[in-house]
Amino acid sequence: MIDVIGSNPGRPLFVLSGKHISYVMHVIGNGQLEHLYFGPQISVSGPDGLCEAHEFPPGNTSAYNEEFAAFSADDMRYEYSALGKGDLREPMLEAIYADGSSTLDPVYVSHEIIQGKPALAGLPSSCGGEGDVETLCIKLRDRNGGLMFDLFYSIFPDADVITRSILISNHDKETVMIRRALSMQVDLDADRYDLHFFTGAWAREMKRNVVPVRAGRISSGSLSGSSSNRANPFFMVSEHGATEDHGLVYGFNLVYSGNHYESVERSPFGKVRILSGILPTGFSWKLESGASFQTPEAVLTVSSDGFGGLSRRMHHFVREHIVRGVWQYRERPVLLNSWEAVYFDISESRLLRLAGVARSVGIELFVLDDGWFGKRDDDTGSLGDWTVNPKKLPNGLKSLADKITGMGMQFGIWVEPEMVSEKSELYQAHPDWAMRIPGKEHSVGRNQMFLDLGRTEVQDYIIRQMKELFSSAAISYVKWDMNRNFTDVYSAALPADQQGEQAHRYILGLYRVMEELTRAFPEILFEGCASGGNRFDLGILSYFPQIWASDNSDALARAQIQNGYSYGYPQSCMTAHVSDVPNHQTLRRTPIETRFNVAASAVLGYECNLADLSAEDRDAVRTQIALYKEWRKTLQFGDLYRGRCFDDVQALDLLDSDGGKDAEWTIVSPDGSRAVTVVLQALVRPNTHTLIVRPKGLLSDSSYRMYCRRFKIDLREFGGLVNYIAPIHVKQDGAIHNILSKFVKMETEKETHTLSGSALMHAGIHVSPAFTGSGYNDKLRFFPDFASRIYFFERVE
């Protein structure tokens, strides 16, 4: 809901209200827009007490002007800041007029309330109908120049989320150069805040970092050309001392897939400024007279229920207002990806053998990964040549797809349309389409170059090629990859004074391609990928409902990565695979049940050679998939609650006595009738048998039957301890040991209890004790390094 308060039409007060939040701002006497409040819902009748009183500006600051000499812009809370009028903090906007001047003074002109939400030209944005969202447009003008600014605020009351974007228009007679155009600013009163941002690299995405905001400026961002694995655009600012379930936490994100920037700055007067938008480094935009520039949309929310409350608010918003189309709430199929099974060594016979085993264990979607096209025998060539390799698939793609679908599975395919290899027919025909500086040495990544998606003819080529490919066979799924970062950013189609636009123009071109293809193929399930999580953001999720979270499928590492994503993104957007051991990224060996429990907490898939699995592991996979299908709706679309979680396994205290519970999370069905809790241990704590499971999000007054999935334990897991009960000596890993393991199977503990939701959440449940070295029977919990358990809760009448 949007309220406009005040009898003076030139100085309105605006109140944006959700179910639990309020956002308040007003126009002050000089026409500037002052931020007053953002936080839990409050009742507001006017600015009295919310706006800061000023009689004299602080020492060594500049007064705004003679008429308004009582305050300095350096000590104000603004909605839209710029350089030149005494505000020495980092601004949202920087621009240079034709005369070289850069002072900007945005002041109020008018406002408009719009039912629903306008689309953003050329950019993805959140969506919602008239009943879901209301939009406030505040029009500002530069007091001394020809720039105009439309500030859009959309409030989603049910989601308790506000989105912001700015349309900058040039009404001057001359060209204006935009040097900085951020999307969001929040100026907060003095308090003790902490900044939480997420960094990483390939195979170790989304590490949460916490930095106290005590003085100066802290910034994060990406210069890779994508939202990047180095710094995700989602970040949080919390009051110091906030916990998972208590305390004030602000959350911010950006509906954008390119270079981005976030900063938090504490001024000398204690005020905290939070900014987010396109990275200013390397950016410029030549704004001709009469032209406009649209910033990406920023997403803001706040919760007084700690990080968990903030996360669920963000999750609801992403599911309801970012993801769209037929796959928004359609259950995602369990897939098998061919990559780690065959890599580039593709043949139709190998694929069909793998598919036959996949069908027998319950796989629903078979995905053909890299290596099927051109002369693609390794990663040195053929990107851009999207025709089938006849040596690998002599009967063509359609024949293979028909055989797969004839088995009762869907068929999917891998593509990397944004790239071109120097060793390709496409590059030989159109070398100018590659994004590189003519006549200068080019730095490549993974032996490939970017196509210049800022050019319409390149976009048209990709759209045409992909439409032909997706129509050529029964393709139900597309994995869209992008495996390098920007270097030598340049476009042969742009003049020298517009080269600073190229990184953003690339992203706009990418969005046009994705928009065209997803509209043309609405039933295809598109999955984003960029060397794993190198482009995991709300921009991609506006077109593709899920993203491959990381190339690292090691269960322990993936638990940490998925935990990081969970702060800002729902599990229905993350895909995760059960892969072989030793893991291909870490060489770590983790139990197949742990690999499943972690992957099942997202959108489940498999990426291993099922044909080479032992009969026992194949049976385990079959059982896992059947169980996942039974609980899929809850696991994919339920509400996620984090329990204990770890950020860095190296920091674990291996003598800690919390029952080896390094990570715990619960996913609850929307109606609260079903829940799943996963508990994961990194390394064993010696002589520690107690484990208390505490699910969250249950209905306090309801009773639940809790049980644990049982599975078989290989006798060899106990090593030489078997000799304590064996009538003859058994050599560890010897012939007798291996034979015994085929016939003697041990089963994990049985766990069945019925308790109230309140008891489960507050007291917790003491599950079976763990093996501690002092004896073993079938009532003990076998819980070695990297072990996990998955517990199920079903409401009983």
Side-chain angles (χ1 to χ4, degrees):
M1 182 173 66
I2 299 172
D3 290 319
V4 181
I5 301 171
S7 57
N8 186 341
R11 296 187 58 185
L13 181 141
F14 305 100
V15 182
L16 285 68
S17 301
K19 283 187 174 180
H20 306 96
I21 68 169
S22 295
Y23 191 103
V24 187
M25 55 192 158
H26 79 143
V27 178
I28 59 177
N30 67 350
Q32 293 178 322
L33 196 58
E34 182 183 19
H35 176 81
L36 298 182
Y37 176 80
F38 181 35
Q41 191 175 65
I42 59 174
S43 177
V44 180
S45 58
D48 185 40
L50 294 178
C51 58
E52 189 173 354
H54 297 271
E55 294 298 329
F56 299 96
N60 195 31
T61 64
S62 302
Y64 176 75
N65 61 18
E66 290 186 10
E67 182 181 359
F68 297 96
F71 71 90
S72 167
D74 204 29
D75 191 28
M76 293 291 291
R77 295 169 297 164
Y78 284 128
E79 284 292 317
Y80 195 45
S81 60
L83 290 178
K85 300 305 289 183
D87 187 349
L88 303 183
R89 295 163 292 180
E90 190 171 21
M92 280 189 76
L93 176 70
E94 292 182 51
I96 301 175
Y97 283 105
D99 64 0
S101 64
S102 57
T103 290
L104 299 165
D105 189 10
V107 293
Y108 175 77
V109 175
S110 64
H111 69 272
E112 176 187 7
I113 296 176
I114 304 165
Q115 297 304 313
K117 183 176 180 297
L120 304 187
L123 286 164
S125 63
S126 54
C127 58
E130 290 188 9
D132 302 321
V133 57
E134 197 174 13
T135 300
L136 171 66
C137 176
I138 302 177
K139 295 182 180 294
L140 308 180
R141 65 174 177 85
D142 181 16
R143 190 190 300 275
N144 302 306
L147 287 180
M148 298 284 293
F149 315 97
D150 289 359
L151 278 58
F152 291 96
Y153 299 78
S154 294
I155 176 74
F156 294 81
D158 288 344
D160 281 321
V161 164
I162 293 167
T163 64
R164 289 190 59 178
S165 68
I166 295 122
L167 181 68
I168 305 170
S169 302
N170 184 9
H171 293 260
D172 204 82
K173 293 180 180 180
E174 304 291 336
T175 296
V176 177
M177 292 298 296
I178 306 296
R179 297 295 189 187
R180 168 190 292 250
L182 301 183
S183 297
M184 181 276 296
Q185 170 179 322
V186 175
D187 284 357
L188 300 175
D189 280 321
D191 206 340
R192 295 184 68 197
Y193 292 107
D194 294 330
L195 168 63
H196 307 251
F197 60 103
F198 297 82
T199 61
W202 178 78
R204 47 183 173 86
E205 295 88 344
M206 293 302 285
K207 159 78 173 165
R208 182 162 74 106
N209 304 272
V210 184
V211 180
V213 181
R214 300 295 179 263
R217 183 187 309 149
I218 309 160
S219 66
S220 178
S222 168
L223 194 55
S224 68
S226 66
S227 51
S228 92
N229 49 34
R230 288 156 173 77
N232 195 271
F234 171 76
F235 67 105
M236 301 179 292
V237 175
S238 71
E239 64 179 5
H240 185 67
T243 67
E244 181 65 22
D245 301 309
H246 304 284
L248 191 68
V249 182
Y250 296 92
F252 307 94
N253 210 333
L254 196 65
V255 188
Y256 190 60
S257 307
N259 293 336
H260 60 90
Y261 178 75
E262 302 80 43
S263 76
V264 179
E265 178 180 6
R266 186 183 179 94
S267 78
F269 310 107
K271 293 179 173 63
V272 172
R273 172 166 291 175
I274 305 168
L275 298 172
S276 174
I278 294 175
L279 180 75
T281 303
F283 169 82
S284 64
W285 196 270
K286 186 178 180 181
L287 199 62
E288 304 280 1
S289 177
S292 298
F293 179 82
Q294 175 66 61
T295 72
E297 184 174 62
V299 177
L300 306 74
T301 190
V302 61
S303 172
S304 56
D305 295 324
F307 302 106
L310 185 283
S311 293
R312 285 182 292 280
R313 200 156 280 174
M314 278 289 190
H315 293 180
H316 173 76
F317 177 77
V318 173
R319 286 194 297 258
E320 282 287 317
H321 302 293
I322 294 293
V323 177
R324 61 208 75 184
V326 299
W327 286 100
Q328 182 178 19
Y329 282 109
R330 183 182 290 181
E331 293 180 24
R332 317 288 165 73
V334 180
L335 65 78
L336 174 67
N337 184 289
S338 69
W339 180 241
E340 289 192 6
V342 299
Y343 287 102
F344 291 106
D345 191 13
I346 287 173
S347 71
E348 183 172 303
S349 60
R350 291 190 71 187
L351 295 173
L352 291 176
R353 178 171 176 259
L354 190 61
V357 179
R359 176 192 58 181
S360 72
V361 298
I363 293 290
E364 299 165 311
L365 168 64
F366 183 88
V367 179
L368 173 58
D369 209 280
D370 195 359
W372 59 267
F373 55 92
K375 299 175 182 178
R376 186 78 166 168
D377 295 322
D378 52 37
D379 64 8
T380 62
S382 292
L383 287 174
D385 300 340
W386 299 107
T387 55
V388 173
N389 184 323
K391 292 182 179 180
K392 296 182 178 184
L393 301 175
N395 299 311
L397 196 63
K398 183 179 185 305
S399 174
L400 176 64
D402 288 346
K403 290 172 182 175
I404 299 294
T405 56
M407 296 179 184
M409 292 183 292
Q410 296 175 307
F411 178 72
I413 199 165
W414 177 97
V415 293
E416 195 173 4
E418 302 165 58
M419 299 294 161
V420 63
S421 304
E422 191 164 359
K423 297 178 182 178
S424 69
E425 294 178 7
L426 176 62
Y427 185 73
Q428 298 309 309
H430 298 284
D432 59 313
W433 284 7
M435 191 167 71
R436 60 185 301 173
I437 304 172
K440 296 186 179 181
E441 187 177 25
H442 182 60
S443 297
V444 299
R446 204 176 182 245
N447 305 298
Q448 60 198 51
M449 298 171 285
F450 280 95
L451 288 169
D452 184 356
L453 267 70
R455 299 172 65 164
T456 303
E457 65 268 33
V458 176
Q459 301 165 25
D460 291 341
Y461 172 81
I462 294 174
I463 292 167
R464 184 170 63 253
Q465 288 286 301
M466 291 301 105
K467 282 185 175 180
E468 290 177 5
L469 174 61
F470 300 160
S471 302
S472 69
I475 294 174
S476 301
Y477 162 100
V478 170
K479 180 180 179 182
W480 184 295
D481 212 341
M482 189 279 289
N483 279 306
R484 64 156 299 182
N485 299 315
F486 277 9
T487 57
D488 305 313
V489 180
Y490 185 87
S491 175
L494 291 176
D497 61 353
Q498 288 186 264
Q499 290 298 328
E501 302 173 11
Q502 173 59 10
H504 182 59
R505 285 185 179 273
Y506 180 95
I507 297 299
L508 295 178
L510 174 65
Y511 288 150
R512 183 197 162 216
V513 170
M514 290 180 169
E515 176 76 20
E516 291 271 356
L517 292 174
T518 52
R519 282 191 176 184
F521 300 94
E523 290 291 332
I524 286 181
L525 173 58
F526 285 89
E527 178 174 323
C529 178
S531 297
N534 202 33
R535 201 163 62 187
F536 198 115
D537 58 72
L538 300 183
I540 298 300
L541 288 171
S542 297
Y543 302 102
F544 300 167
Q546 59 190 45
I547 300 174
W548 178 233
S550 175
D551 280 349
N552 189 348
S553 57
D554 172 75
L556 187 64
R558 253 316 184 101
Q560 297 173 73
I561 291 167
Q562 290 170 205
N563 177 74
Y565 281 118
S566 76
Y567 283 93
Y569 303 92
Q571 70 276 10
S572 59
C573 296
M574 310 176 213
T575 57
H577 295 172
V578 176
S579 61
D580 263 330
V581 290
N583 177 265
H584 290 202
Q585 292 78 47
T586 65
L587 297 181
R588 187 164 23 231
R589 293 180 179 271
T590 55
I592 194 168
E593 298 302 331
T594 295
R595 284 175 270 156
F596 167 74
N597 292 345
V598 172
S601 300
V603 176
L604 174 68
Y606 287 78
E607 189 168 345
C608 53
N609 195 330
L610 293 177
D612 288 350
L613 290 184
S614 66
E616 291 86 352
D617 280 352
R618 203 176 296 176
D619 287 341
V621 169
R622 184 179 294 108
T623 303
Q624 289 171 356
I625 293 174
L627 179 69
Y628 182 77
K629 290 176 182 178
E630 180 185 349
W631 286 83
R632 172 162 43 191
K633 187 172 183 179
T634 295
L635 287 165
Q636 290 185 359
F637 299 109
D639 295 325
L640 187 141
Y641 293 79
R642 289 180 296 269
R644 176 169 178 170
C645 56
F646 52 83
D647 292 311
D648 186 350
V649 69
Q650 302 302 323
L652 292 174
D653 180 358
L654 300 185
L655 300 180
D656 184 4
S657 61
D658 193 18
K661 190 169 64 176
D662 296 319
E664 178 184 27
W665 59 88
T666 299
I667 303 174
V668 185
S669 64
D671 66 357
S673 63
R674 308 182 96 200
V676 178
T677 293
V678 175
V679 173
L680 172 64
Q681 170 176 264
L683 300 178
V684 169
R685 274 70 162 179
N687 196 27
T688 302
H689 64 83
T690 302
L691 174 61
I692 304 172
V693 176
R694 288 189 177 91
K696 297 179 181 180
L698 304 181
L699 303 174
S700 295
D701 296 333
S702 294
S703 293
Y704 291 85
R705 182 175 72 92
M706 175 266 208
Y707 58 94
C708 179
R709 176 170 171 255
R710 305 185 75 185
F711 55 91
K712 303 293 184 181
I713 306 171
D714 192 317
L715 187 67
R716 290 171 293 186
E717 294 286 346
F718 290 89
L721 283 174
V722 68
N723 286 297
Y724 279 92
I725 58 172
I728 60 171
H729 179 73
V730 178
K731 181 181 177 182
Q732 184 172 335
D733 298 326
I736 296 176
H737 202 189
N738 289 328
I739 292 170
L740 281 174
S741 70
K742 294 182 181 297
F743 298 98
V744 180
K745 298 294 179 184
M746 304 179 71
E747 194 165 27
T748 56
E749 74 282 4
K750 184 177 182 180
E751 204 80 66
T752 304
H753 308 274
T754 300
L755 287 88
S756 68
S758 58
L760 286 165
M761 291 187 292
H762 301 300
I765 185 165
H766 292 69
V767 298
S768 300
F771 170 77
T772 59
S774 58
Y776 188 84
N777 60 29
D778 61 2
K779 294 181 175 59
L780 289 182
R781 177 168 37 91
F782 178 73
F783 215 59
D785 290 350
F786 317 131
S788 72
R789 285 293 185 274
I790 186 166
Y791 298 99
F792 301 95
F793 302 85
E794 295 184 280
R795 188 172 61 189
V796 296
E797 300 299 332

